[in-house]
Amino acid sequence: MADLSVNFAGIRAPNPFWVASGPPSNTAYQTHRAFEAGWGGLIWKTIGTPIVNVSSRYSALDIGGQRMVGFNNIELISDRSPEVNFQEIAEVKKRWPNHAVIASLMCESREQWHEFVRRSEDAGADGIELNYGCPHGMCERGMGSAVGQQPLVAERITGWVMEVAKIPVIVKLTPNITDITAAARAAKRAGANAISLINTINSITNVNLDTFASEPAVRGMSSHGGYCGPAVKPIALNMVQSCAADPEVRMPISGIGGISNWRDAAEFMAFGAGTVQVCTAIMHHGFRIVDDMIEGLNSYLDEKKMRSVDDLCGRAVANVTTWEKLDLNFRQVARINHDTCIGCNLCYIACEDGAHQCIDLLNPDSLGLDLGPGRVPHKHVPKVREDDCVGCNLCTLVCPVDRCITMVEVPTGKPPMTWVEYQAKVASGEMKPLPPHH
């Protein structure tokens, strides 16, 4: 069995699955429950000057019967006193000395940053996470994403923290920025030990078409909030990979954003995350989900003959590049397995109306096909005109039958050629421009 223990920027934990800073990490009681369930670490709900929250606080995007595909919140940082929070951190560390407990902080001045860093250390926290990501409420007070969106400001404040910090410091980055690597570089320049990303995305999930108020509604009014959940995973993966690939960052990364199961976690690790943080999935299903995460990751690492999380970390980073470096001479086409085709013809509609019109509907008798699974006798079936197929793979995505449509590489007999190489060859007269698609 693989070793799931981690040493993340000097912070040790029994596994890489950590509870993200948020409602599930608000109290010692919840932290005990999390660690009893098997979570390896927890980032405390952000501690600062106590705030006052509103009611209600959450809304969600549901799609196709699936609840909370996207989750929006306008809840702020901890509304409990710093004294209570630091006291409970100390209590948790006494009971769970081998689990990672990170104090998330958000402060208003250099003096308060220094004070709260020292109080975190005195409480026994294993590390500190600087919340530069909250996109609602706190940013209006000059904190949260208001800091994270200004790399120079983030660098200065991180520098204040590093003046006194004796335990590892993690900078939590906001996705509400043009280039997240600029903020990651700022954290590196300031001396931070690691970064975590992403925090929530600025959003409004809906408008009630009867009341014309958005949710969550507070006496008929609402506010933009922080968006998270499975819907943000692609955005988070892109930003994690960007930071992991940047030679000016090169620091430990804790991945956050839409992680719901072990596969999600493994993808973040393959893109460079040494640990992963989970919040929304816990709010939806409870702390128990970590059981499947641990079991699934263990099985995957064993199957791939990887001995530890470190063997997986970063394995996929180099396989992402800029578009201009992709091979223009690589070609693949779609092929339909009529033994499993149910005749829904979604692939035909998608290709005809939304792509490149290279799927025909033909009489199955003309193709020598027997009656397939669920197909109506003599109903036309889809067939790809491979000479016209551009390999966009839309049909494989809309098909409801797993692997009924597959993408097959077609040899072109041409050597690999990127856009950069193509432009150079055309400019030098070595080749003529490729004809436009008809």
Side-chain angles (χ1 to χ4, degrees):
M1 183 175 290
D3 178 12
L4 294 190
S5 65
V6 293
N7 182 347
F8 180 76
I11 303 170
R12 296 186 179 276
N15 64 58
F17 300 111
W18 294 5
V19 179
S21 178
S25 64
N26 190 39
T27 65
Y29 170 77
Q30 290 169 290
T31 306
H32 294 318
R33 283 180 54 81
F35 290 165
E36 287 166 357
W39 293 88
L42 176 142
I43 296 82
W44 210 266
K45 186 170 174 65
T46 301
I47 305 167
T49 302
I51 52 80
V52 178
N53 272 306
V54 295
S55 174
S56 64
R57 304 175 191 177
Y58 306 137
S59 64
L61 177 67
D62 303 332
I63 298 178
Q66 184 176 346
R67 305 283 279 180
M68 287 174 56
V69 173
F71 185 73
N72 181 57
N73 87 90
I74 58 172
E75 184 168 295
L76 303 181
I77 65 173
S78 177
D79 56 6
R80 306 162 77 228
S81 71
E83 290 73 23
V84 169
N85 280 309
F86 289 126
Q87 178 183 338
E88 291 192 1
I89 288 175
E91 171 195 326
V92 167
K93 278 308 298 180
K94 287 179 181 177
R95 181 173 170 184
W96 304 94
N98 297 321
H99 286 62
V101 178
I102 312 299
S104 174
L105 304 180
M106 185 184 292
C107 301
E108 301 181 53
S109 67
R110 182 180 185 181
E111 291 71 27
Q112 189 181 39
W113 278 108
H114 284 186
E115 176 194 350
F116 276 42
V117 167
R118 292 189 176 105
R119 293 176 75 175
S120 300
E121 293 173 345
D122 291 344
D126 298 291
I128 299 164
E129 185 177 80
L130 313 184
N131 185 344
Y132 296 164
C134 184
H136 56 275
M138 306 311 296
C139 56
E140 296 156 15
R141 310 176 197 191
M143 296 179 284
S145 63
V147 174
Q149 290 171 333
Q150 300 290 332
L152 292 179
V153 176
E155 182 177 352
R156 176 183 299 174
I157 293 177
T158 305
W160 294 347
V161 171
M162 301 310 296
E163 289 171 351
V164 297
K166 298 177 182 178
I167 55 178
V169 173
I170 306 166
V171 172
K172 189 171 188 178
L173 304 181
T174 177
N176 303 297
I177 190 171
T178 303
D179 180 6
I180 200 165
T181 62
R185 292 173 185 176
K188 178 70 174 288
R189 289 193 301 269
N193 304 101
I195 52 176
S196 59
L197 61 148
I198 60 174
N199 208 313
T200 53
I201 300 169
N202 215 350
S203 70
I204 298 174
T205 51
N206 56 52
V207 175
N208 185 309
L209 294 180
D210 292 319
T211 66
F212 300 103
S214 297
E215 295 178 356
V218 181
R219 204 182 295 278
M221 298 293 289
S222 189
S223 176
H224 59 88
Y227 193 58
C228 50
V232 311
K233 176 188 161 189
I235 299 169
L237 281 175
N238 173 59
M239 292 187 171
V240 167
Q241 191 278 337
S242 295
C243 289
D246 191 320
E248 294 185 43
V249 177
R250 291 287 188 270
M251 60 196 309
I253 297 172
S254 187
I256 316 168
I259 299 168
S260 302
N261 54 55
W262 75 264
R263 297 191 70 93
D264 295 336
E267 290 177 25
F268 274 81
M269 292 172 189
F271 271 152
T275 63
V276 293
Q277 299 183 29
V278 180
C279 180
T280 307
I282 295 172
M283 296 177 74
H284 195 174
H285 302 292
F287 289 123
R288 61 182 180 172
I289 61 173
V290 76
D291 278 341
D292 289 338
M293 290 181 166
I294 291 171
E295 181 180 352
L297 184 60
N298 253 320
S299 297
Y300 172 77
L301 294 178
D302 288 345
E303 177 188 336
K304 297 297 182 181
K305 295 181 170 48
M306 297 182 186
R307 294 172 297 177
S308 69
V309 172
D310 288 342
D311 290 345
L312 174 60
C313 187
R315 290 286 288 270
V317 173
N319 290 333
V320 176
T321 187
T322 53
W323 188 94
E324 65 183 3
K325 296 178 183 176
L326 298 177
D327 181 10
L328 297 177
N329 286 332
F330 174 78
R331 184 166 184 261
Q332 59 179 359
V333 298
R335 287 186 186 163
I336 301 171
N337 180 357
H338 290 101
D339 290 335
T340 58
C341 174
I342 61 175
C344 68
N345 296 339
L346 280 173
C347 59
Y348 169 77
I349 295 298
C351 187
E352 194 72 7
D353 293 352
H356 297 279
Q357 302 81 50
C358 61
I359 296 180
D360 298 319
L361 291 181
L362 303 177
N363 189 312
D365 298 335
S366 69
L367 299 175
L369 296 176
D370 295 327
L371 192 62
R375 292 205 299 261
V376 176
H378 309 298
K379 179 184 177 181
H380 284 38
V381 295
K383 188 173 191 310
V384 178
R385 295 195 315 276
E386 294 189 4
D387 287 346
D388 295 324
C389 179
V390 301
C392 74
N393 73 287
L394 176 62
C395 56
T396 69
L397 300 177
V398 301
C399 179
V401 181
D402 189 39
R403 296 196 61 76
C404 176
I405 305 177
T406 54
M407 301 305 297
V408 180
E409 183 178 353
V410 177
T412 63
K414 300 176 182 178
M417 179 178 66
T418 67
W419 175 259
V420 174
E421 293 167 337
Y422 166 64
Q423 290 289 293
K425 289 181 179 182
V426 170
S428 68
E430 185 178 342
M431 67 177 290
K432 293 181 179 180
L434 296 172
H437 188 70
H438 62 274

